[in-house]
């Protein structure tokens, strides 16, 4: 009896049993992976998730073909960048210092920059007082109609350590500059002034100063120093001994674009031409008095 049972009972090879178990595990792994796929709605939502918004283009308040007058240049690195990198070709760059004093304060870059400008066919003028532009024969004979007049980081220098006196002195500088610059503007020409943000510069109340000078703010925007390759902020007192030190171009700054009150319109930067906002303002007959960048 036991013999017959031995004959009937099948003998399963050990290797065969291991192979069957392996196939079973493989099927289970495959099915488990398939069942864990996210639902179709989740896949669509993931695909539709918006990416990072594109970085806004910086505002450049002039066109390459504009007649540009630069006031109070330091080492003339800003003027050089306009010509070298922005293809401006009608630039008159001025500074308050004499040529000798300028070269001494900003050695050696000032001489290099001014020579580059002159060799490029631009005009460099020394000893130009920002508060007497309309009475300066050198400028009147060259113009007097400029599309853009730019005064970056105006400052009277360290005349006093008293904050209130410094504020008043710089306010007087700006008011006198505005009044002297207006007669030199072309129709719909603009005046651009750039200041550091925060105190004491906010105390100058530049918007009010311009309003009392028959100007109005068309817009303001963050000044982006990296838009002007080669530019570096020059201190009123000159280079820092040994190099290095404080870098003004790394500080937050804001540019204000002014136009005479009642002017017929504003010349838009090239990258804003044809924009929906610009067309809307044109249809509604409004001027853009808002800030471009926060």
């Amino acid at each position: 009896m036991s013999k017959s049972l031995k004959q009937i009972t099948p003998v399963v090879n050990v290797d065969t049993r291991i192979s069957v178990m392996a196939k079973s595990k493989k099927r289970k792994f495959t099915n488990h992976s398939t069942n864990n796929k996210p639902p179709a709605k989740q896949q669509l939502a993931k695909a539709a998730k918006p990416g990072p918004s594109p970085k806004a283009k910086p505002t450049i308040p002039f066109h390459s073909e504009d007649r540009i007058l630069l006031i109070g240049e330091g080492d003339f690195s800003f003027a050089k960048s306009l010509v070298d990198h922005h293809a401006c070709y009608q630039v008159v760059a001025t500074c308050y210092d004499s040529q000798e004093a300028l070269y001494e304060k900003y050695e050696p870059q000032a001489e290099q920059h001014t020579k580059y400008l002159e060799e490029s066919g631009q005009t460099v003028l020394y000893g130009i007082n920002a508060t007497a532009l309309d009475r300066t024969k050198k400028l009147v004979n060259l113009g007097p109609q400029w599309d853009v007049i730019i005064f970056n980081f105006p400052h009277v220098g360290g005349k006093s350590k008293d904050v209130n006196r410094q504020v008043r002195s710089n306010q007087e500088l700006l008011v006198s500059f505005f009044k002297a610059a207006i007669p030199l503007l072309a129709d719909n020409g603009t005046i651009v002034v750039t200041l550091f943000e925060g105190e004491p510069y906010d105390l100058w109340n530049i918007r009010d100063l311009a309003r009392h000078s028959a100007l109005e703010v068309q817009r303001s925007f963050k000044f982006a120093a990296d838009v002007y390759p080669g530019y570096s902020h020059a201190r009123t007192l000159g280079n820092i001994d040994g190099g290095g030190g404080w870098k003004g171009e790394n500080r937050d700054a804001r540019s204000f674009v002014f136009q005479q009150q009642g002017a017929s319109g504003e010349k838009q930067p090239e990258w804003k031409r044809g924009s929906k906002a610009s067309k809307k303002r044109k249809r509604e007959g409004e001027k853009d008095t808002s800030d471009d960048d926060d």
Side-chain angles (χ1 to χ4, degrees), residues 60 62-68 78-91 116 120 122 227-229 270:
I60 299 175
F62 54 81
H63 303 151
S64 59
E65 70 272 16
D66 283 341
R67 295 196 67 208
I68 300 174
F78 183 78
K80 181 179 183 297
S81 184
L82 262 59
V83 176
D84 193 16
H85 296 278
H86 291 274
C88 297
Y89 55 90
Q90 300 184 90
V91 176
Y116 171 86
S120 301
Q122 313 311 308
V227 174
Y228 306 99
E270 290 184 11

Side-chain angles (χ1 to χ4, degrees), residues 150-163:
I150 301 176
F151 197 171
N152 286 330
F153 307 103
H155 201 282
V156 296
K159 289 187 175 183
S160 173
K161 293 183 179 180
D162 182 84
V163 175

